[in-house]
């Protein structure tokens, strides 16, 4: 018999056992990494009575969304008992303008630093890059003073401004490094064709910038949504972002700890960044590795 | 048709001077080729003509207008780039019309121009494709189309064929030449390929280290190179350059030519006074491979053909003729001989050296002696 399969995949017991071992190990690893999240989800679906009697990884006796409702709408944070929904929307109100503005300015900066170099622009760019390495703690005091002088202390607008400024170093770097891979000849051709500074940016460079926009938006959105330190320092009371509220929720002591509510709130706080990764993660990887625009 | 005049142009990037005083006058409708090794400043010069870089000193005139302060879009030039620089997000049609649209030309007229150009370059079928969907040769055509659409007074080409494969390059070369004969616009064309320069140019400017070494017709730069650099750069096989000693023998100046053990004393009859100063000194003799062969058609009338004998070192058949390499005065010399006449390596061969178009270079300055 001439069986081609014999040559491509010899099905011996040894090979089969090997496969089994590899897949078994992989599944085990996946489970290991997912375990904390699974525990969180399960706990958030339990009743408090269930939590008190069962153990950490036991299956819920009955599934209930009560903890989720409480976390969203009526859990007590500091003195208010309106849940984390206000703070969730605070975070949205911070993230949307901060990400949009820092990304757009980063794109414009990157365009200038790559295609319209001027005397001293390299030095300026290096200085700007330094911003990527300044630790958050180092700028807290001067930033607080600056916000005070601007009259933006403890306001959403102030927090947005801080995130924009802090993000610029990164967004500029992203766009500049992307645009240097686009041939200068493209800009030269457009200049001869009569296009000016803005027209070239708008008509030639921006249309080919989608990959780096995705990278930049994901990066900024994750950074700003997950930020805790700036939030806790530069905002107060009802203006705080969800990360700070989550911390306050967990630390608010009213009798027994409601683990199910804490877990539900934590998952809610993490959902937007998780979603962004799931939806756009593959563009993120692709954008980071995208080379020059061929054509 | 418009002339282009480049007057004593200098360009420095920081402290490094890239162009060191370049002056070229291009006649209306002329096809000028700038050729030189990579890094000699050809693209920089082209960018200065286009206005994409600032001139450090000097003047550029397009027609009668001094354009030093004129922006690229108002210089009435068009440029074709090595990488083609097609706008990746725009269809071919839009690539061609982009420059017309920024100039606010009426829609109907733009449409007509695009059609005309597409027709001229046979790219009508490609108008609705994006650059990424085109082959290298097609992109090249589109890039030319974009330049043609504006019917500028001067075309600038920066190594437009160097990204094509060999066969396509030869085809496009012919097409560019035909195109020039048809539209007769002034062209400045940059290349590092001397064959491209020879085949396309009305005149060639050979550049090295930011200086024009020679500016002349293809025939003259080939037959009468002003220095050793040009002699070595132009020609598919470079000129043979051999150090020789000049001696006086009776009435005539002679060259001592040693091939292996034998030394030949060969009289130079051309322009007898030329070598008077060089008696008993060394200079460099230059001659093309086709000037040393197994025989010449008009051998009998030419009294400047002399016979040599030498051992063959290597042979390179090229098809129509064979290059035989020998050694003269310890320098490798290429001889272009009929394939049937070529001897095998190691054998001795009789060769004729025609000195009627030979030239001499000063071995110190490397300039031609005249
Ligand atoms: N923008 C620039 N800044 C600094 N040096 C440059 C710049 N453009 C070109 N050069 C230098 O000028 C020299 C000539 O470059 P170029 O005109 O591109 O040469 P070619 O086109 O003949 O190969 C090179 O040594 C190059 O490094
Ligand atoms: Mg170049």
């Amino acid at each position: 018999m001439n069986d081609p399969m014999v040559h491509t995949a010899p099905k011996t017991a040894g090979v089969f056992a090997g496969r089994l071992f590899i897949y078994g190990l992989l599944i085990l690893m996946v489970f290991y990494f997912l375990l904390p999240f699974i525990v969180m989800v399960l706990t958030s679906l339990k009743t408090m009575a269930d939590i008190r009697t069962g153990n950490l990884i036991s299956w819920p006796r009955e599934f209930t969304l009560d903890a989720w409702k409480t976390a969203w709408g009526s859990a007590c944070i500091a003195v208010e008992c309106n849940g984390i929904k206000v703070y969730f929307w605070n975070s949205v109100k911070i993230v949307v303008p901060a990400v949009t503005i820092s990304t757009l300015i980063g794109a414009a900066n990157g365009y200038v630093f790559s295609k319209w170099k001027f005397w001293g622009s390299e030095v300026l760019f290096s200085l700007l890059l330094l911003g990527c390495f300044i630790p958050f703690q180092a700028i807290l005091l001067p930033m607080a003073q600056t916000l005070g002088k601007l009259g933006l202390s403890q306001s959403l607008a102030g927090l947005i401004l801080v995130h924009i400024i802090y993000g610029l170093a990164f967004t500029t770097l992203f766009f500049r490094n992307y645009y240097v891979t686009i041939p200068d000849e493209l800009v030269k051709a457009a200049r001869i064709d009569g296009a000016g500074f803005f027209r070239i940016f708008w008509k030639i460079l921006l249309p080919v910038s989608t990959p780096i926009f995705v990278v930049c938006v994901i990066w900024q959105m994750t950074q700003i949504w997950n930020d805790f330190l700036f939030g806790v320092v530069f905002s107060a009371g009802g203006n705080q972002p969800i990360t700070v509220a989550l911390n306050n929720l967990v630390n608010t002591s009213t009798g027994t700890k409601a683990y199910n509510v804490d877990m539900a709130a934590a998952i809610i706080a993490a959902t937007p960044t998780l979603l962004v990764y799931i939806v756009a993660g593959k563009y993120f990887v692709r954008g980071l590795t995208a080379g020059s625009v061929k054509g | 048709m418009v002339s282009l005049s480049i007057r004593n142009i200098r360009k420095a990037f920081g402290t490094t001077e890239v162009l060191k005083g370049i002056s070229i006058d291009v006649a209306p409708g002329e096809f000028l080729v700038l050729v030189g090794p990579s890094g000699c400043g050809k693209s920089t010069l082209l960018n200065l003509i286009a206005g994409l870089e600032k001139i450090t000193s000097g003047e550029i005139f397009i027609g009668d207008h001094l354009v030093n302060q004129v922006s690229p879009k108002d210089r009435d030039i068009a440029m074709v780039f090595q990488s083609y620089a097609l706008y990746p997000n725009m269809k071919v049609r839009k690539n061609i019309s982009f420059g017309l649209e920024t100039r606010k030309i009426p829609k109907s007229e733009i449409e007509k121009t695009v059609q005309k150009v597409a027709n001229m370059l046979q790219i009508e079928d490609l108008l609705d494709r994006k650059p990424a969907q085109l082959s290298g040769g097609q992109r090249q055509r589109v890039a030319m189309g974009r330049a043609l659409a504006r019917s500028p007074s001067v075309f600038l080409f920066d190594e437009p064929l160097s990204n094509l494969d060999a066969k396509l390059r030869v085809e496009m070369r012919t097409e560019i030449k035909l195109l020039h004969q048809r539209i007769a616009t002034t062209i400045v064309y940059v290349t590092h390929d001397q064959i491209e320069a020879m085949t396309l140019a009305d005149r060639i400017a050979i550049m090295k280290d930011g200086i024009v070494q020679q500016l002349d017709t293809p025939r003259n730069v080939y037959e009468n190179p002003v220095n050793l650099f040009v002699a070595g750069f132009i020609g598919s096989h470079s000129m043979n350059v051999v150090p020789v000693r000049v001696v006086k023998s009776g009435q005539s100046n002679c060259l001592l030519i040693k091939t292996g053990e034998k030394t030949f004393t060969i009289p130079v009859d051309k322009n007898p006074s030329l070598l008077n100063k060089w008696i008993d000194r060394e200079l460099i003799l230059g001659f093309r491979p086709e000037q040393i062969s197994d025989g010449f058609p008009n051998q009998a009338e030419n009294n400047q053909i002399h016979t040599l004998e030498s051992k063959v070192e290597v042979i390179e058949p090229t098809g129509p003729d064979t290059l035989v390499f020998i050694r003269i005065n310890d320098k490798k010399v290429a001889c272009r001989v009929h394939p049937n006449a070529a001897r095998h390596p190691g054998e001795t061969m009789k060769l004729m050296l025609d000195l009627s178009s030979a030239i001499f270079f000063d071995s110190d300055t490397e300039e031609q002696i005249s």
Side-chain angles (χ1 to χ4, degrees), chain B residues 13 18 38-44:
Chain B
F13 291 108
V18 174
S38 164
C40 71
K42 308 178 297 287
S43 298
T44 305

